[in-house]
Amino acid sequence: MNNTRRLGKYVLVISMSLLSLIPFYILLYLALNKPSRTLFNGLSLLPDFNFSNFSEAWETSKMGLATMNSLIITMGGSVLIILVASSAGYAIVRYSNKFHQTVFNVLLICMMIPAIIITVPLYTLMKSIGGINTHWAMILLMASNGIPFSIFLYAGFIKVLPREIEESAIIDGCTPFTAFWRVTFHFLRPVTAAVVILQGLAIWNNYGQAVFFLQNQSMRTIPLAVSMFFQQYGAQWNLMAAAAVIGLGPAVIAFLVFQKYFVKGITAGAVKG
């Protein structure tokens, strides 16, 4: 009976996994087909392996420039989030007082505010400081979106770390600041990986705010470039699918690199904290 139950669980998990892969298979199938080929033409489940779709989509949609813009904004925003959120989480946990707890509670409330609600005042602010169509302003905006939740994760993770870690470093001559960055931060790799995946993907895929603040064609990110490409080549499924695959590539690679730390970081930061 137990073996039957276990087999049923395995079959269910495998079936759900295969079902979730179907959209990706269709996307790759379309991206590798010739322009004249329709979806599953005949009985063939294999595409034409027409790799020229990727080069044509890359050149036509100016994906190279969009990729560079996305990388600059994503990397800049992620680094800023890690620096600010880890420091703030450490201060809130290790030097807890009423002020720090109030700030932490305010940050938790900020997580409940939909970004679309503050788009108009943000646009007014960005325009007044000359931040429209600039990398630095978009980096600051993306970081401000991700800092509250990242502080929540870091604070929860740091709570389970023994104080002796940095206390021993301070005895050896480190200041609290250097003890955190040289010793404690080393143990934050799991939650840092979780932050990189969650916030990095959120910044990389951000469309709702990028479409307002990056209006110049030379400043378009991957989501904006793919969106404009879809509007221009809506009838050419092979090119649209190829552009979508190119846009997904870096995000998938980043997830595969950091995935072994992801579950551990989320579990320790959100559950134990």
Side-chain angles (χ1 to χ4, degrees):
M1 185 67 179
N2 291 334
N3 291 334
T4 304
R5 227 178 247 182
R6 185 179 302 174
L7 179 62
K9 290 181 180 179
Y10 287 149
V11 171
L12 179 62
V13 170
I14 293 174
S15 300
M16 292 178 64
S17 300
L18 292 175
L19 188 63
S20 66
L21 290 175
I22 291 177
F24 296 99
Y25 166 71
I26 295 177
L27 183 65
L28 287 173
Y29 186 92
L30 291 172
L32 293 171
N33 267 344
K34 294 179 180 179
S36 59
R37 182 80 177 270
T38 57
L39 184 61
F40 302 132
N41 188 17
L43 298 177
S44 175
L45 295 178
L46 294 177
D48 298 319
F49 295 102
N50 182 30
F51 293 98
S52 61
N53 290 335
F54 293 98
S55 59
E56 186 175 351
W58 178 274
E59 295 175 1
T60 306
S61 62
K62 298 182 179 179
M63 199 65 75
L65 182 59
T67 301
M68 183 60 64
N69 290 330
S70 289
L71 285 174
I72 292 173
I73 295 173
T74 302
M75 293 178 65
S78 299
V79 169
L80 189 57
I81 289 173
I82 292 171
L83 293 176
V84 175
S86 60
S87 303
Y90 178 78
I92 289 172
V93 173
R94 291 296 192 249
Y95 304 96
S96 180
N97 54 45
K98 289 184 178 180
F99 174 74
H100 287 169
Q101 288 302 315
T102 301
V103 171
F104 185 65
N105 292 333
V106 170
L107 291 172
L108 293 180
I109 293 173
C110 291
M111 292 167 52
M112 306 175 190
I113 302 175
I116 192 66
I117 293 178
I118 58 175
T119 299
V120 173
L122 267 179
Y123 183 85
T124 304
L125 175 62
M126 294 276 277
K127 189 174 182 180
S128 64
I129 63 176
I132 303 297
N133 294 318
T134 62
H135 287 134
W136 64 267
M138 202 64 189
I139 289 173
L140 292 177
L141 176 59
M142 294 295 99
S144 65
N145 289 342
I147 283 175
F149 182 65
S150 300
I151 291 178
F152 170 73
L153 290 180
Y154 273 111
F157 195 90
I158 293 172
K159 281 182 182 179
V160 303
L161 294 179
R163 290 179 177 269
E164 289 78 9
I165 292 176
E166 57 259 20
E167 288 177 352
S168 60
I170 293 174
I171 292 174
D172 291 336
C174 290
T175 64
F177 178 82
T178 55
F180 170 70
W181 288 111
R182 292 185 179 181
V183 181
T184 307
F185 190 77
H186 174 76
F187 294 93
L188 301 181
R189 285 181 298 178
V191 69
T192 299
V195 169
V196 168
I197 291 177
L198 291 173
Q199 304 303 336
L201 291 179
I203 297 173
W204 183 270
N205 295 324
N206 184 281
Y207 176 83
Q209 292 177 312
V211 72
F212 285 100
F213 305 125
L214 300 177
Q215 302 168 358
N216 195 312
Q217 185 175 0
S218 62
M219 295 299 299
R220 287 175 183 164
T221 56
I222 289 288
L224 296 181
V226 172
S227 175
M228 296 302 297
F229 188 79
F230 280 15
Q231 295 177 28
Q232 187 175 359
Y233 296 91
Q236 300 186 37
W237 292 99
N238 58 320
L239 296 182
M240 290 172 55
V245 171
I246 293 173
L248 284 173
V252 173
I253 293 173
F255 181 81
L256 293 177
V257 171
F258 293 102
Q259 65 173 336
K260 65 178 181 179
Y261 297 110
F262 179 70
V263 175
K264 184 178 179 182
I266 287 294
T267 303
V271 177
K272 291 184 181 179

